[in-house]
Amino acid sequence: MVKSLENYNRWLPTTQKEIKMQGWEQPDVILFTGDAYIDHPSFGAAIIGRILEAEGLKVAIVPQPNWQDDLRDFKKLGSPRLFFAVTGGNMDSMVNHYTANKRRRSNDAYTPGGRTGQRPDYASIVYSNILKKLFPEVPLIIGGIEASLRRLTHYDYWSDKLMPSILVESGADLLFYGMGEKAIVEFARLVQRGVPVENLTTIPQTVFCVEEDARYATKKEWDELELASHEDCLADKKKFARNFMHIEEESNKMEAKKLVQRVGNRKVITNPPWPVFSEQEIDRVYDLPYTRLPHPRYKGKGSIPAYEMIRHSVNIHRGCFGGCTFCTISAHQGKFIASRSEKSILKEVEKVTQMPDFKGYISDLGGPSANMYKMKGIYEDICRKCKRPSCIFPTVCKNLDTSHKPMLDLYEKVRQNPNIKKAFVGSGIRYDLILEKTGNEETDKTNREYLREVIEHHVSGRLKVAPEHTSDEVLKFMRKPSFKLFEELNEEFKKINREKNLDQQLVPYFISSHPGSKSEDMANLAIQTKNLDFRLEQVQDFTPTPMTLATVIYYSGYHPYTMEKVYTARSQNEKREQRKFFFWYKREYRKAIIRDLKSQGRQDMIKKIFR
């Protein structure tokens, strides 16, 4: 029994029995999550749990509570001393549940055995409504990607309608958007001092609701920007589109404005974000005592696919300044890069090598984009005035230090570890950061050395990159570089493989049905990739997700920045018609492709695809 107690005590408690094992009478915080509980820094619930624990709080976790029975999972730990916290999990629950065709997925990567049905649709709303009904007097906060990307009026693809801020439908007292460690610590400290939750209106990176005419405390230095109301957005798609431009610009500024949006007779207030993490601050998050393992409660219940993918990986930075229009990373993590110190990373690498199942291979030494570690503006004053959503589109910013030397130094130190046979870079690489000339000969040389280093030492046979499309016109809508740059990468990749006698494969990712993409563009994609000897396998249909520019175009029909009309494939038939061009080499698609191109009078394309 002692051995069992010691084992369970390494995790945050999930049951009354485990709480008693910890010697607690009552938790200070109870955290509900739509994912299985994996005590690893790649999972938001684990990070928030550990960061609050480091503040001296008693934190319990209820993973994947049953919302369909007598609600015993919501009652079993009783009431927390301070507050409830709710997250839908590492993915938006609707993206987790449904494909781009709105079909129910057959597995859930965040559940033991990949089983489905362990969380509800709109999990954050469902969990919050239940807790508010059962414990109406206990403060309730929400966070994580589902709450973060639904913090203001947003288009929900699965119901095909505009929805108000998730705060309205969840009934939560406060929403934490983005990476919430700083905000949750500030909140916990103030709540412990006895400050009522309704008075906590000055915490950066939080969202709250007030009555239309209510007075509330705010910070004098915060400028205010009022967005079009939820009702105006419902009545006018152009107003919804223009709202997004303001939201994106403020999300990508160092000194952002406070955003105000009216919903009915209330206001939703979005406070500006915290400054980007310093090296010391982000190190503290990753240096917490994670077991890096799923909770023992899952023993014998099957592996958890999302964990299997990252169990031997190490995250070296946060944030992404790519600004891709279909991606939610910058909307959640921000565009400014927060990089860990070498010391912290190497310490985690060593910890991974001590895991009993480690066989010598780090599965990924990367981040949201693999090669942005330590990159930032050369002159911060210029960054302070900037509101560009992307630092590398339409061209790489001249003020951006794109030197890959810090990564080369880090990779070399990781390779020197005697317990590591190979450390792969599994995250996507932004090859425009490597191939585009900076005007600095030393930096350009170092960046080419980085590409060679990755291809020689950090590829597991397949290097995955994301050109996304071949049409430069569509790529502009995506904020991605010209396809010519991918062709240059392809040549360089083949050249280095020949020189080093390697037999490796370059695997490109592509998207169909993205705003701006027409059937003819997809036919050209088939021709160009065929000419490069690619038979595509890593492909996806564009899925509209909340808080992306591409989704706003999909719903409204307008580009938020120019207000120009943009064609988008919306019907399932239009989407299927675009997707088939990925698989021109499969017999079952040949007739449909020929029929489509004949109807457009493009017999020339038929010959190029099938000659």
Side-chain angles (χ1 to χ4, degrees), residues 384-420:
R384 204 166 286 284
K385 296 170 188 170
C386 177
K387 60 180 181 181
R388 274 176 64 171
S390 172
C391 301
I392 51 181
F393 181 86
T395 57
V396 177
C397 176
K398 297 295 182 188
N399 188 48
L400 180 66
D401 180 2
T402 63
S403 174
H404 287 60
K405 189 173 188 312
M407 278 171 284
L408 281 170
D409 294 343
L410 175 65
Y411 292 0
E412 185 180 354
K413 285 172 184 166
V414 171
R415 282 205 287 127
Q416 286 171 356
N417 188 310
N419 297 315
I420 292 176

Side-chain angles (χ1 to χ4, degrees), residues 449-466:
E449 284 174 13
Y450 172 83
L451 181 61
R452 185 172 287 273
E453 165 80 9
V454 168
I455 293 170
E456 281 187 48
H457 300 292
H458 303 282
V459 175
S460 60
R462 292 155 64 92
L463 177 62
K464 295 176 182 178
V465 294

